[in-house]
Amino acid sequence: MRLHRWFGQLALAGSLALVAGCATIMHGSTQEVAIGSAPTGARVIVDGVAAGVTPYVADLKRKDKHVIRIEMDGYEPFEMPISRATSGWVWGNLVFGGLPGLAVDAITGGLYKLKPEEISASLREQGVSVADGADYLVVAVVLKPQAGWERIGELSAE
């Protein structure tokens, strides 16, 4: 009879372990974040470490905060922090796994969802400034015009 009781306790512990980390089981401790840029081929730096070139998919730990930096020679760098928000699967933990499930998800990072899930950077050329406004004229100085640009005027010292 003691053996039967021991197996029952083991089965109960095993079933609790299965539902203990609901968010971790459902979407894991990492999340993919798609990173793109215009123009493509820019360097992607994740948390200060070179990761690849755009287009790129970063596999980020959910429990950590991250900073994505996109760089390309001749262009202003682009930087965006990745924030964490609580995942909806936390409610599954509270209902099915209780505190052990919540603890598992907090430790593994399954408790969180990273935002944004996709980054699309429009890189600006260095030395070019753009401003919107109906009541003023914006003048941008460009040292190297691109092929295909149409000349609409010229400044002179006269």
Side-chain angles (χ1 to χ4, degrees), residues 3-156:
L3 188 58
H4 184 278
R5 182 189 225 171
W6 183 79
F7 278 122
Q9 290 174 348
L10 184 61
L12 177 62
S15 62
L16 281 175
L18 285 176
V19 297
C22 193
T24 301
I25 292 169
M26 295 310 289
H27 61 193
S29 59
T30 62
Q31 178 178 328
E32 290 184 345
V33 175
I35 303 167
S37 69
T40 59
R43 292 179 300 279
V44 176
I45 297 139
V46 179
D47 301 328
V49 178
V53 296
T54 60
Y56 181 77
V57 177
D59 194 29
L60 304 176
K61 291 183 180 180
R62 291 179 185 273
K63 68 180 182 176
D64 299 330
K65 293 181 181 178
H66 303 280
V67 176
I68 306 297
R69 185 175 173 90
I70 301 171
E71 299 177 345
M72 183 176 243
D73 293 338
Y75 292 85
E76 297 289 332
F78 174 90
E79 193 169 283
M80 176 174 280
I82 303 289
S83 63
R84 302 180 308 187
T86 305
S87 169
W89 287 107
V90 171
W91 299 111
N93 278 336
L94 294 175
V95 172
F96 298 109
L99 290 178
L102 199 59
V104 167
D105 284 342
I107 291 168
T108 63
L111 183 72
Y112 302 107
K113 182 176 183 177
L114 300 177
K115 292 185 179 187
E117 296 178 33
E118 185 176 313
I119 297 172
S120 180
S122 293
L123 301 178
R124 269 191 343 203
E125 286 190 69
Q126 289 179 337
V128 176
S129 61
V130 178
D132 292 327
D135 296 336
Y136 54 88
L137 173 66
V138 176
V139 177
V141 176
V142 179
L143 300 178
K144 296 179 187 175
Q146 293 183 358
W149 282 7
E150 181 182 341
R151 176 182 267 178
I152 59 169
E154 187 173 321
L155 295 175
S156 64

